[in-house]
Amino acid sequence: MSEHDDLAEQEFDYAMSENGELTQADIAALYAELAEAENALVTIRDFIRFVVTKLRQYDVVVAQGTTDEFAEAAAIVLHSLSLEWSADEQILECKLTPSEKQEVLTLLSERIIQRKPLSYLINLAYFCNLPFYVDERVLIPRSPIAELINQKFYPYFDVDDAKKSEFFQHGLAEKQLSAPERILDLCTGSGCIAIALAKAFPDANVDGADIDKDALEVAWTNVEHHEIEHQVNLLESDLFAKIPAENQYELIVTNPPYVDAAVMAELPPEFLHEPEHALAAGQDGLDLVHQILYHAPDYLTPDGLLVCEVGDSEWALRQAYPEIQFEWLNFEKGGSGIFAIDYEELMEYRDEFARQVERVTGVALV
């Protein structure tokens, strides 16, 4: 299998210098196993099973887009074959040609040796069942906020949907207000949340803001791909700094950097491919969240809602504001660390938010 042997030689130096985990013997063993698989395996089902085994054997971290090794294995195999990732069960017994086997095994070897997330290797990720271009300028979409978008934040906003009685109860307040007309996605990154929001609320104007010009280039690529330029506006802004004061939103959604210093120091190799500034947020992960909580009411309507993701920094947020009963949401498909808070609560506790902002930034708020 000369093609795999050549790839092994090209990638060995990289793996040893950047990853530090795979030895030369590991890589030699991997390519021997790939050669055996190419000769012995036949069907799509065979290859999916083999990929799962290798991901586990070589301790590949599956946590960016999915935490399911079978889902990642299916994506590796089916993408290599130019098939839908949720392909019908009937095709699993189809046989692969020699060239198709090469495609699958080459992508698998890159995933194992480089420890690069699959979405970066193929420049594709899915969010709210929509495809998005991604590269190492942006985080890979994986927020549980997708569930809220799919249900249009019901019951906070009313939904003209006959199946709304079947919606999962995430814990949003039951206000059933009119659908939002203006929405802000703060820290938009790839633009996946902004675009998904626009699809969910086709009559709303959606702003996506980010401090990073490179991220906004990726976001614009996705806006153009989904042909939604008329509805999604992208803004370069450090949080709310350059958002016009007259902009008043019924809904602000934000998935800001929130990883604390201790976790950043121990990230697996896969996460080191993601932009550090899109993950790290100070000692406790809340440097930006405090500022968002303080400034958000200036941009919300009186009935407006803020939905914010803080992930594993949930405990730190509870400790920072012990007197505030944040509305922590539940998710059908797993996930935590996301809260909802309305305009009235933001205003009620604004002095507390101000004190935290002053502590973090050293700047007194007037």
Side-chain angles (χ1 to χ4, degrees):
M1 190 164 59
S2 59
E3 187 170 317
H4 290 311
D5 292 339
D6 291 343
L7 185 58
E9 291 179 4
Q10 294 169 9
E11 293 181 338
F12 171 67
D13 290 339
Y14 173 85
M16 292 301 292
S17 62
E18 298 293 331
N19 188 294
E21 294 182 0
L22 294 183
T23 65
Q24 187 172 12
D26 290 332
I27 295 176
L30 170 64
Y31 278 96
E33 292 156 4
L34 296 179
E36 182 182 26
E38 184 175 14
N39 291 326
L41 302 183
V42 177
T43 67
I44 292 175
R45 189 187 301 276
D46 290 340
F47 277 88
I48 292 175
R49 195 278 310 157
F50 176 77
V51 172
V52 171
T53 299
K54 294 304 118 180
L55 293 176
R56 291 176 174 173
Q57 178 183 340
Y58 288 94
D59 296 322
V60 174
V61 175
V62 177
Q64 293 150 292
T66 181
T67 57
D68 181 351
E69 289 156 337
F70 277 90
E72 173 125 346
I76 288 173
V77 175
L78 296 174
H79 179 84
S80 299
L81 302 176
S82 299
L83 295 172
E84 293 292 331
W85 293 7
S86 56
D88 192 283
E89 179 83 11
Q90 295 177 351
I91 73 164
L92 295 183
E93 300 307 323
C94 293
K95 298 178 181 179
L96 278 69
T97 67
S99 62
E100 288 174 334
K101 293 180 181 182
Q102 288 272 347
E103 289 289 333
V104 172
L105 296 175
T106 297
L107 182 56
L108 174 60
S109 68
E110 292 173 346
R111 180 70 178 91
I112 292 172
I113 293 175
Q114 295 183 21
R115 288 294 197 268
K116 184 179 287 190
L118 177 62
S119 290
Y120 288 156
L121 290 171
I122 63 177
N123 298 123
L124 175 64
Y126 283 87
F127 183 77
C128 287
N129 298 317
L130 298 170
F132 293 94
Y133 173 88
V134 293
D135 59 31
E136 289 169 89
R137 292 174 288 177
V138 296
L139 296 184
I140 296 167
R142 50 184 177 268
S143 175
I145 289 173
E147 283 190 24
L148 301 175
I149 297 172
N150 287 336
Q151 291 192 184
K152 302 180 183 180
F153 297 84
Y154 180 84
Y156 193 88
F157 297 108
D158 196 13
V159 176
D160 184 16
D161 192 321
K163 295 184 178 181
K164 63 186 178 183
S165 61
E166 302 175 10
F167 284 173
F168 183 78
Q169 299 301 307
H170 293 99
L172 289 171
E174 295 189 25
K175 294 198 174 183
Q176 298 193 39
L177 303 172
S178 298
E181 296 180 0
R182 294 204 62 150
I183 305 172
L184 172 64
D185 172 24
L186 196 62
C187 306
T188 192
S190 65
C192 63
I193 289 179
I195 292 168
L197 285 165
K199 296 283 188 179
F201 298 104
D203 295 325
N205 292 316
V206 181
D207 290 336
D210 204 289
I211 192 175
D212 189 339
K213 289 182 179 180
D214 290 337
L216 289 172
E217 288 181 4
V218 175
W220 184 246
T221 296
N222 285 314
V223 169
E224 289 186 316
H225 173 76
H226 287 281
E227 299 181 341
I228 206 161
E229 301 96 322
H230 65 286
Q231 193 182 356
V232 176
N233 178 46
L234 299 178
L235 303 167
E236 182 186 345
S237 179
D238 182 358
L239 298 181
F240 295 99
K242 294 184 180 179
I243 295 176
E246 64 269 19
N247 286 16
Q248 296 290 292
Y249 302 96
E250 288 85 12
L251 175 63
I252 297 176
V253 179
T254 182
N255 182 11
Y258 57 70
V259 181
D260 65 41
V263 173
M264 286 297 300
E266 297 180 357
L267 286 176
E270 280 82 354
F271 287 87
L272 300 181
H273 290 279
E274 294 190 295
E276 181 178 352
H277 65 269
L279 293 168
Q283 193 63 31
D284 63 1
L286 298 177
D287 283 7
L288 299 181
V289 175
H290 294 309
Q291 298 178 59
I292 291 169
L293 287 169
Y294 175 77
H295 291 289
D298 291 335
Y299 297 87
L300 278 174
T301 63
D303 287 323
L305 181 71
L306 169 68
V307 174
C308 178
E309 180 168 347
V310 297
D312 290 340
S313 293
E314 175 181 337
W315 182 86
L317 190 67
R318 290 178 183 270
Q319 297 302 305
Y321 303 105
E323 72 282 6
I324 302 177
Q325 297 296 313
F326 289 99
E327 195 75 44
W328 295 101
L329 305 181
N330 302 309
F331 293 90
E332 182 177 15
K333 298 178 181 178
S336 60
I338 298 174
F339 66 87
I341 186 168
D342 63 22
Y343 172 87
E344 291 183 1
E345 290 177 294
L346 287 167
M347 291 301 297
E348 180 181 355
Y349 297 107
R350 200 167 199 192
D351 289 344
E352 284 82 351
F353 301 143
R355 281 193 286 271
Q356 291 291 348
V357 172
E358 291 172 2
R359 180 186 62 80
V360 169
T361 65
V363 177
L365 298 172
V366 179

